[in-house]
Amino acid sequence: MKQVQKMDLNILLALAIVVVVLGIGLLANTVPEGFEFSGYSSNNLITGAAVGVEDYVPPEVVEEEIEEETEEHVHEPFDFIMPSQEGNATSCGNVSSSITLTANVSAEGTCFIFNASNVVLDCDGYSINYSNSSGGYGVYATWVDNVTTKHCNIFETTTTGSQGIYFSTSTNLTIYNNTIKTTGNADDAIVLYGNINTNISYNTLNTSGSSAYAIDQSSSDSVLNSTIEYNSISTTGSGGGIYVGGYGSLVYMNSLVTGGDAIIVGDPQNNVSTNSINTTGSSDEGIVVSDTDNVIEYNIINVSGSGAEGIAIASDYNNITNNVVYAEGSGDAIAITSSDDNNRIIGNTITTTASSSDGIYLTNTDNNTIQNNTIITHGSGYGLRVDDVLGANITGNNINTTASSAYGIYFDDTSSSSYITNNNVTTVGTSAYAIYLFDNNDNNQIVGNNISTEGSIGYAIFVNTATGNNLISN
């Protein structure tokens, strides 16, 4: 009984403290001349700013989600029937010494198998027609070193899970200047599984089946140091352009037009740089980053499908720098999703054109840096939208919105302890606030921002139901 009474007294004391704190909070707002406060916005320090503070409910904002590519992506070889005879310049078979084709070749299943190291398969422009009546590979290699496939035109006849080139558990591989076309579901043009030091360059790759990648580098600790460069990639199915598994890959100067996601980075410590990317399908992302410590830089990305993000980040400690991103559908240009922290979004140029398409969107993520980006939105989306975020550093950005109700920087809900400093924010639409803190966004520093609002009913800074924010010299 004494314990119960003690608990009741503790509860009453806690309630009394809450009542007193709320009373003090409501009285803590000092109302300077020309400002109006109402509702539950308290303890905000405001100097040198044109600010409106009240209980106001904005138009409903539809929550957005990014599908994370978090499961291990592994493409193990199929159990196809392989040739037993030796290959030569006019027929398929095993490659135990270098071969240069002098005619087109074909096979019922798999055409060529590397069974020796230090050899070259040079098609010299001739064709490999594989999988005529059953599944197979155009070119296959496993447990070899220093082999090359070049100058081949590779295509399949049947569509039974066949791949153009499949290299497994090998080292020092070269795939150069080939044209590969697949049409079946899950029929990838090139598959890498457990390889070290692979160079894939100057190839033309086309896939049209669902779930078919142009280049599928399976996730594996043993996949290391691939270079994928100067390839021309077109996919019309739902698979995607390049899946980057393993560590230490460079994906550089490729041109991709895809129906699925263009590039998926599924493992850490890879570099995706200077690629030209166009996606057209619904929710087809330009680049998806689903592991840590990757560098995404100097890419030009255009996404036009409904709900498609330019760069979707679903992991921590990534550097997203100096990219040019156009989002023409309803998706955001750059988005960081749930519990993906400590990313650096720096020096990107972003343009959105559709309604509800934000320039940069952060949700349920902490300690990210958003710095020196140029963001222009032409639809009703926001320049920068922040939702349930802790400790963001938002500094030195140039943000321009042109539509009605298109806020420059919008803190949606329950974000705190962030720095919003030295940004240039311009809005021209009706009711388009430059900086808007809505609903429980507390203890943020809003300092030294250069703000211009040209539309009617456009506050420079609008604080709603928030406490402990410092608004200084804006």
Side-chain angles (χ1 to χ4, degrees):
M1 179 64 71
K2 290 182 179 180
Q3 185 177 4
V4 173
Q5 290 175 346
K6 184 177 181 180
M7 291 176 61
D8 291 341
L9 289 174
N10 287 337
I11 293 171
L12 291 173
L13 179 58
L15 290 173
I17 292 171
V18 169
V19 171
V20 170
V21 170
L22 286 175
I24 293 172
L26 291 173
L27 296 173
N29 287 301
T30 302
V31 185
E33 184 176 355
F35 292 86
E36 180 177 354
F37 292 74
S38 63
Y40 297 93
S41 297
S42 63
N43 294 324
N44 297 290
L45 173 62
I46 303 170
T47 66
V51 184
V53 180
E54 64 178 61
D55 274 341
Y56 169 74
V57 179
E60 181 180 357
V61 179
V62 178
E63 289 296 329
E64 303 171 43
E65 297 181 354
I66 299 173
E67 295 183 2
E68 298 188 16
E69 303 278 346
T70 55
E71 295 185 0
E72 186 177 15
H73 181 88
V74 176
H75 196 148
E76 296 182 351
F78 293 100
D79 187 19
F80 292 139
I81 297 174
M82 302 298 192
S84 58
Q85 74 279 6
E86 282 296 310
N88 57 48
T90 59
S91 63
C92 298
N94 294 316
V95 182
S96 55
S97 61
S98 293
I99 294 175
T100 299
L101 294 188
T102 58
N104 296 327
V105 296
S106 64
E108 297 302 308
T110 296
C111 184
F112 287 109
I113 300 176
F114 284 102
N115 63 357
S117 298
N118 304 308
V119 295
V120 175
L121 172 63
D122 182 355
C123 293
D124 198 25
Y126 289 101
S127 296
I128 297 173
N129 179 2
Y130 69 100
S131 190
N132 288 175
S133 61
S134 64
Y137 306 111
V139 182
Y140 178 85
T142 185
W143 295 106
V144 294
D145 174 68
N146 190 31
V147 300
T148 297
T149 302
K150 63 182 181 179
H151 307 314
C152 299
N153 294 312
I154 301 173
F155 61 94
E156 65 181 349
T157 300
T158 63
T159 56
T160 54
S162 304
Q163 280 77 47
I165 294 177
Y166 192 108
F167 285 173
S168 170
T169 54
S170 299
T171 59
N172 301 313
L173 307 168
T174 300
I175 303 171
Y176 174 75
N177 192 34
N178 303 283
T179 297
I180 304 174
K181 182 178 181 180
T182 68
T183 56
N185 296 339
D187 289 4
D188 303 328
I190 297 173
V191 176
L192 305 177
Y193 180 69
N195 302 295
I196 299 174
N197 297 335
T198 303
N199 184 284
I200 304 174
S201 57
Y202 294 97
N203 300 281
T204 300
L205 309 175
N206 181 283
T207 67
S208 57
S210 64
S211 303
Y213 287 89
I215 299 173
D216 187 351
Q217 180 170 279
S218 296
S219 294
S220 172
D221 291 344
S222 61
V223 176
L224 300 172
N225 303 332
S226 296
T227 299
I228 302 171
E229 61 183 357
Y230 298 104
N231 299 285
S232 177
I233 293 172
S234 174
T235 69
T236 56
S238 59
I242 302 173
Y243 188 96
V244 185
Y247 298 78
S249 290
L250 172 63
V251 182
Y252 177 72
M253 288 291 289
N254 300 283
S255 174
L256 300 97
V257 179
T258 66
D261 299 336
I263 298 175
I264 299 172
V265 184
D267 282 315
Q269 301 173 19
N270 298 288
N271 184 300
V272 178
S273 175
T274 324
N275 301 280
S276 173
I277 295 170
N278 287 271
T279 72
T280 57
S282 176
S283 300
D284 292 339
E285 327 293 12
I287 299 175
V288 177
V289 184
S290 58
D291 215 321
T292 62
D293 296 309
N294 294 288
V295 175
I296 312 297
E297 61 183 359
Y298 297 107
N299 301 283
I300 299 175
I301 303 168
N302 188 308
V303 293
S304 57
S306 174
E309 269 93 19
I311 301 175
I313 304 166
S315 192
D316 308 324
Y317 295 101
N318 295 286
N319 291 309
I320 315 298
T321 61
N322 298 307
N323 301 281
V324 177
V325 184
Y326 300 93
E328 298 180 358
S330 57
D332 304 318
I334 298 177
I336 305 179
T337 59
S338 178
S339 301
D340 303 312
D341 308 327
N342 298 292
N343 294 285
R344 303 171 74 242
I345 315 297
I346 299 176
N348 302 281
T349 300
I350 294 167
T351 303
T352 71
T353 59
S355 61
S356 73
S357 178
D358 302 327
I360 298 176
Y361 175 44
L362 312 179
T363 177
N364 192 23
T365 177
D366 301 335
N367 302 319
N368 294 285
T369 297
I370 313 298
Q371 181 178 344
N372 296 339
N373 301 282
T374 297
I375 304 171
I376 301 173
T377 68
H378 294 292
S380 57
Y382 311 128
L384 170 62
R385 178 180 167 198
V386 177
D387 182 12
D388 194 12
V389 165
L390 175 69
N393 181 11
I394 301 167
T395 183
N397 301 283
N398 294 306
I399 300 173
N400 188 306
T401 71
T402 61
S404 297
S405 301
Y407 310 137
I409 298 174
Y410 177 50
F411 273 52
D412 188 359
D413 182 50
T414 321
S415 295
S416 62
S417 303
S418 294
Y419 289 84
I420 309 169
T421 61
N422 300 316
N423 300 283
N424 298 311
V425 185
T426 300
T427 66
V428 298
T430 302
S431 301
Y433 309 153
I435 300 175
Y436 182 11
L437 273 64
F438 170 74
D439 195 13
N440 300 319
N441 294 288
D442 305 328
N443 302 313
N444 299 287
Q445 309 296 315
I446 305 175
V447 180
N449 299 283
N450 183 20
I451 294 171
S452 173
T453 58
E454 300 178 12
S456 60
I457 324 176
Y459 289 103
I461 302 175
F462 193 102
V463 180
N464 180 79
T465 318
T467 64
N469 297 287
N470 291 329
L471 286 68
I472 301 172
S473 300
N474 297 288

